[in-house]
Structure formats: C-alpha cells, structure tokens
Amino acid sequence: MTTPHTRNWLQTLVAFDTTSRNSNLHLIEHVRDALAAHGVPVQLFKSPDGAKSNLFATLPAQDGGTQGGIVLSGHTDVVPVDGQQWDTDPFALTERDGRLYGRGTCDMKGFIAAGLALVPEFLAMPRRKPLHFALSYDEEVGCIGAPVMLEQLKLQGQRFDGCIVGEPTSMQPVVAHKGINVWRCKVHGKAAHSSLTPSGSNAIEYAARLICRIRDLAEAFKAQGPYDPFFDVPYTTMTTNRISGGIAVNTIPEHCEFAYEFRNLPGMVPDDIQAQVEAYVQQELLPRMRREFAEARIEFESLAGAPSFDSADTEAINVLVQALTGDREKRKVAYATEAGLFQQAGIPSVVCGPGAITEAHKANEYVELAQLARCEQFLRKLAQSL
C-alpha cells in the first residue's frame, strides 16, 4: 500500500511545470527546504545561466560519515504536453482506478516522490553508510544537468559505492542501455530561379543524398551488426527525424537543415559512427556541390548526447538490487538515461524505478499505485542494507 506521504510528494512535484524549456528552480528550492527542515545538508549546482539547478543531498551515516553509500538519481524535468489530448490537467495529480495521472508521474517524479517521502524513515535507521539524493535538470534534452553536478562532486573528492537511476523500469533492474547522439546538419547551396537550374546548387537535394546515406548506414547496422540479443532492438539504429528548407516552389533552395540521431550499442564508439557520415560529405557530396558552387558548405553541430551504459553482472550494485527485487533477469534497453554519466564518473550504476517506459512522454501519463508501493518497499530494503 502506497503511503500518503508518497502521494502527497508526487502531487507537489507534478504541480511544478518543469517542462525542460522552463526553470526547475521552484521545485528544487521546495525540495531543498523540505530536506533542510529534517537537518539534511543540501547543495545546489546551478546551470551556467543560473536559471536551473541540480540538487545533491546527503543523509549521513550513523557516525556522521558522508563518503560511500548509494546515490538515488532522478531528473526533475519533463517533456512538453503541447499538442497532446489529456483527459485531466497534466499538472494536477489525478487518481483513477489505481493509477495516478499527470505529467512526470512515470518519468520520473514517482521515484523522486517515493524517496523523499521516506526521508524521515531513512534518518531514523542506524545506517552504517550514507544515502544520497541527486536530482538533475535537463535530462530530457540531452542529459545536460547531471555532468555539471558530477564534475563538482568529483572536485569535492566525493566517493560512492553505487547509484540507482530511478527511470521507469516497472521496478525491474536494467543493467545496460544504448547511447544517444543527436546531430544537426546545415547544407548551404546557392539560390536561383528554378527555370535557371544550372546556375544554382540545390541544398535540399544534397541534404536528401546525405539523409539517404544515413539510412544506408542504418540498414548496414541492421544487416551486419554488431548485435546484442539482450536489447529489444539488438543493433545500433540511425534515423533522420526533422528537416526544413526552401522558400518557394519556384526557387532553388539555398539552405536546408535537418536533424538526425543514432543510438549506439555499448562498445561502439559514437565518434566512429559520426566519422562515417562526415567522410561521405567530404569525399563525395561536397566535391559534387562545389563543381556547381565553389562556396558550398555542409556544417555539423552536436545537439545532445548521452553515453551508453553497460554494467557487469558481478558489480556489487547489481548484485544488491537483484537481491532486493528478487529479479535476476538480464535486461538491456534502447532508451538512454543518466546511468552512463554516473558510470563514466566511476560510480557503478543500475536503472530501476516505478512505472512503465511505455507510458512515458504520452498523453495521460500515469504510474500505478502498486508500482509506487513496490518502489517504497525496495527503497526501505535498500536503506536497511546500508
């Protein structure tokens, strides 16, 4: 049975509209004040412009120690509700048929709420090791916030035994995920009246050639691998998802811009994949364009990225989480989380949280009360194990 404290915390968190385009400071400051009321030390690590912030809090061990222990990691931002048809107010928690509806209930304020609700219980436990909260900003737009926090913790000399990233996994441990890499490409040709085609250089058509090349690379990964059968999509994927260009039907377009992403299996180097895209541009596409227009150019810009994550079966954090959940199945997922960033920082990690990823980002997003109850039970066992 979910405690009223978790439901109350989730109601509070959902009411803060922390869509990534907005500031999360009101939520962060509310959590800071609530933890401070319990005597919990809190640090805020703000974004460069000061508009957003990470929060890091430590519940010390019984002897006052703050080194080691487990980090509970969650992101505070949510995806937009623009254009979605909701049956309820997305920023007002609504209970119906054993479910709690609202933006972020599943991804991933439910996990944060369960952890915060149990703080008084955690503090009353005679723990030998500390327990930490790491709340980040801008995960949904490229895992931008967490690196700021991790760098500061590294400078402070902080050490941790492990990290649990509470993304929605239906409370089933996930030991690996793909990396995500998002790129923008800008193609610059030469405008001309469409009746004088030879005097122009068509940016859209050359962009189309490059998009087809990206699709060819994707087909090669699908046909030739490498593969990992534990993933739902067992190979690296590439896809172009946005494009714009041109000003009129009778004008050769001077500019075309598109965005593409690839999700690489652990062990594959993202720079090597991007290098194949850029090699095609340098060796084939640009020479063709410049025969038409000497000043033609193609530019690439990295928009976002998160590293892949792959945890060994023997990692202590994996063994612990499997024991606490009673679930020893090996799971790997195609979506990305902040676990790869924690792993890069030398912190062994696992992904495990309430809710189903299939409900994330959708209209009428929800988390089941039963999932939150399982999360509470898991977190109590975790704290007791410390």
Side-chain angles (χ1 to χ4, degrees), residues 130-173:
L131 192 62
H132 313 271
F133 285 87
L135 307 185
S136 66
Y137 66 86
D138 281 359
E139 187 271 352
E140 295 288 9
V141 291
C143 295
I144 294 171
V148 175
M149 174 166 48
L150 289 169
E151 179 61 25
Q152 291 301 312
L153 294 173
K154 178 181 177 181
L155 292 173
Q156 295 175 8
Q158 288 275 12
R159 293 179 291 100
F160 308 101
D161 298 325
C163 173
I164 297 171
V165 178
E167 291 278 4
T169 67
S170 299
M171 292 307 301
Q172 299 170 327

Side-chain angles (χ1 to χ4, degrees), residues 238-318:
M238 301 184 75
T239 179
T240 302
N241 298 326
R242 295 188 66 185
I243 187 168
S244 63
I247 61 171
V249 71
N250 61 353
T251 304
I252 301 297
E254 182 177 2
H255 301 293
C256 184
E257 176 180 313
F258 65 93
Y260 62 97
E261 65 155 43
F262 54 90
R263 295 176 182 257
N264 59 289
L265 289 175
M268 296 194 70
V269 180
D271 288 349
D272 292 347
I273 298 173
Q274 177 62 16
Q276 294 185 62
V277 177
E278 296 188 25
Y280 173 74
V281 168
Q282 294 299 323
Q283 296 169 14
E284 297 189 38
L285 212 54
L286 268 180
R288 291 186 64 170
M289 286 188 74
R290 287 174 176 167
R291 285 196 290 270
E292 297 175 348
F293 175 49
E295 297 177 22
R297 66 188 192 279
I298 297 176
E299 302 168 339
F300 292 95
E301 177 187 1
S302 175
L303 297 180
S308 61
F309 159 66
D310 197 1
S311 183
D313 294 339
T314 55
E315 287 277 13
I317 188 66
N318 281 345

Side-chain angles (χ1 to χ4, degrees), residues 306-364:
S308 61
F309 159 66
D310 197 1
S311 183
D313 294 339
T314 55
E315 287 277 13
I317 188 66
N318 281 345
V319 174
L320 174 62
V321 171
Q322 289 173 354
L324 296 178
T325 60
D327 188 334
R328 290 174 170 79
E329 184 175 339
K330 181 182 287 189
R331 293 182 185 83
K332 301 182 179 183
V333 296
Y335 59 86
T337 77
E338 293 174 333
L341 295 168
F342 281 90
Q343 187 177 58
Q344 277 191 346
I347 306 169
S349 301
V350 65
V351 184
C352 186
I357 192 63
T358 52
E359 300 306 321
H361 298 195
K362 294 164 57 176
N364 300 318

